[in-house]
Amino acid sequence: MLITPEALFEARRYFLKLGAGALVSSAAISQLLADLPPDMSLHYTPDANPLKLSPNTLEQITNYVNFYEFSTDKTAPVKLSQKMKTTPWDVHFSGELKNVQTMEVDDLIAKFGLEERIYRFRCVEGWSMVVPWIGFPLSKLLDSLEPNAKAKYVKFTTRHDPSLFPDQAKGIFSSIPYPYVEGLRMDEARHPLTFVAVGMYGKRLLPQNGAPIRLVVPWKYGFKSIKSLDKIECVEKEPLNTWQAIDAKEYGFYANVNPEVDHPRWTQSKERLLGKLTKQATLPFNGYDKEVASLYAGMDLRKFF
């Protein structure tokens, strides 16, 4: 029996995983992400949803977003992004690595396969959601690129194209300096939770959600999960991420979800889950403390925020 994508994910009973050998063409990839095919192999594993989370609805996830390249408004990117062309889309890999190269998104999918990951997503502004992402672990990509011993960090850059992004077209009058940049320490980037997403709810990412390819780091505030990736570089020095460049007192490099460290404008002790009227307590590392706390052993998380 064919199960519809949203029903499948909301039931939270299956783990979607296709090996690279099962994806033989761009047409097959498009079919997979457009609508779950009836003959697709479905497997259950607790790794897909270790916290047993209930996802937000597709409508909630796709209609309340931060994507400043389109607008600072939460709902405006939905309309402003609809003409964005997301295929073909090349991603460039460079820096301290053996395999400097450029690959199209569909080729990345064919090479690394697809998995489902149901993750919490927490914005520094105090709202949160639960998203059923589809993609592959960043560690698979890094293993393929073969960073050398000098590569201590991974730098990510959003595409800079004023013809695609209205706010970029404003030049010096834009809300933030472009292109948008983020970064992770290499051990963070290689952590099993760190994920490259190309879809959600069984379909390709919509433009307002960072199509066609984005980063997802579930234990960090949402601005670390950079959208519409253009470049991934393995570098020796810590990258200056965009929000840290704007105001280093308000935005640090690490951006780990921490209920004990408030942002100057938003308390972090509570959060509003989309669709809920009451607030809930914010969890350390967004609920992933058992998985990631060891990465920061001995660090002052008030200083390295």
Side-chain angles (χ1 to χ4, degrees), residues 106-170:
D106 282 355
D107 294 329
L108 290 170
I109 295 171
K111 184 171 185 176
F112 299 115
L114 294 173
E115 303 178 11
E116 181 218 340
R117 297 286 182 89
I118 300 177
Y119 283 162
R120 297 179 189 271
F121 184 92
R122 172 65 155 80
C123 182
V124 72
E125 296 169 348
W127 54 269
S128 64
M129 60 175 68
V130 176
V131 185
W133 303 103
I134 293 176
F136 52 87
L138 178 60
S139 60
K140 284 188 176 182
L141 173 59
L142 292 173
D143 287 345
S144 174
L145 296 175
E146 297 188 49
N148 62 39
K150 292 183 179 180
K152 306 299 182 183
Y153 297 87
V154 184
K155 178 181 178 181
F156 307 88
T157 307
T158 293
R159 177 156 298 182
H160 186 262
D161 186 344
S163 69
L164 294 180
F165 301 118
D167 203 66
Q168 289 182 355
K170 296 177 182 177

Side-chain angles (χ1 to χ4, degrees), residues 64-296:
Y64 194 87
V65 299
N66 274 335
F67 202 162
Y68 281 12
E69 279 82 351
F70 290 109
S71 173
T72 56
D73 184 85
K74 293 291 188 296
T75 58
V78 178
K79 181 178 180 180
L80 293 173
S81 67
Q82 292 312 301
K83 294 183 179 180
M84 179 181 175
K85 184 180 179 183
T86 59
T87 184
W89 187 284
D90 289 335
V91 184
H92 309 279
F93 307 103
S94 62
E96 300 291 345
L97 47 85
K98 180 179 180 180
N99 298 317
V100 174
Q101 60 190 290
T102 296
M103 291 188 70
E104 208 277 326
V105 170
D106 282 355
D107 294 329
L108 290 170
I109 295 171
K111 184 171 185 176
F112 299 115
L114 294 173
E115 303 178 11
E116 181 218 340
R117 297 286 182 89
I118 300 177
Y119 283 162
R120 297 179 189 271
F121 184 92
R122 172 65 155 80
C123 182
V124 72
E125 296 169 348
W127 54 269
S128 64
M129 60 175 68
V130 176
V131 185
W133 303 103
I134 293 176
F136 52 87
L138 178 60
S139 60
K140 284 188 176 182
L141 173 59
L142 292 173
D143 287 345
S144 174
L145 296 175
E146 297 188 49
N148 62 39
K150 292 183 179 180
K152 306 299 182 183
Y153 297 87
V154 184
K155 178 181 178 181
F156 307 88
T157 307
T158 293
R159 177 156 298 182
H160 186 262
D161 186 344
S163 69
L164 294 180
F165 301 118
D167 203 66
Q168 289 182 355
K170 296 177 182 177
I172 61 172
F173 300 105
S174 296
S175 56
I176 63 175
Y178 296 111
Y180 191 94
V181 172
E182 261 305 337
L184 294 174
R185 212 168 58 192
M186 184 60 73
D187 58 346
E188 296 177 314
R190 286 192 174 279
H191 192 279
L193 289 177
T194 307
F195 202 62
V196 177
V198 296
M200 59 169 62
Y201 268 125
K203 297 182 179 180
R204 286 187 183 271
L205 287 173
L206 293 175
Q208 67 265 31
N209 292 109
I213 184 169
R214 64 172 292 165
L215 184 69
V216 180
V217 193
W219 70 92
K220 296 179 180 288
Y221 292 116
F223 66 85
K224 296 294 288 188
S225 295
I226 185 171
K227 303 177 180 74
S228 300
L229 283 167
D230 182 63
K231 298 177 183 178
I232 296 179
E233 302 167 77
C234 295
V235 298
E236 188 173 2
K237 296 182 179 180
E238 181 180 295
L240 181 65
N241 60 303
T242 292
W243 284 104
Q244 189 179 19
I246 292 173
D247 194 335
K249 294 181 179 179
E250 293 192 3
Y251 302 93
F253 174 78
Y254 286 95
N256 292 320
V257 176
N258 190 342
E260 297 182 358
V261 178
D262 286 335
H263 185 279
R265 282 172 283 153
W266 304 290
T267 179
Q268 301 304 326
S269 63
K270 298 281 187 179
E271 64 188 51
R272 179 178 61 86
L273 180 66
L274 293 189
K276 302 291 186 181
L277 295 177
T278 58
K279 291 186 176 182
Q280 62 188 28
T282 297
L283 299 175
F285 297 107
N286 208 22
Y288 299 97
D289 54 321
K290 292 181 180 179
E291 292 84 358
V292 304
S294 62
L295 294 176
Y296 312 101

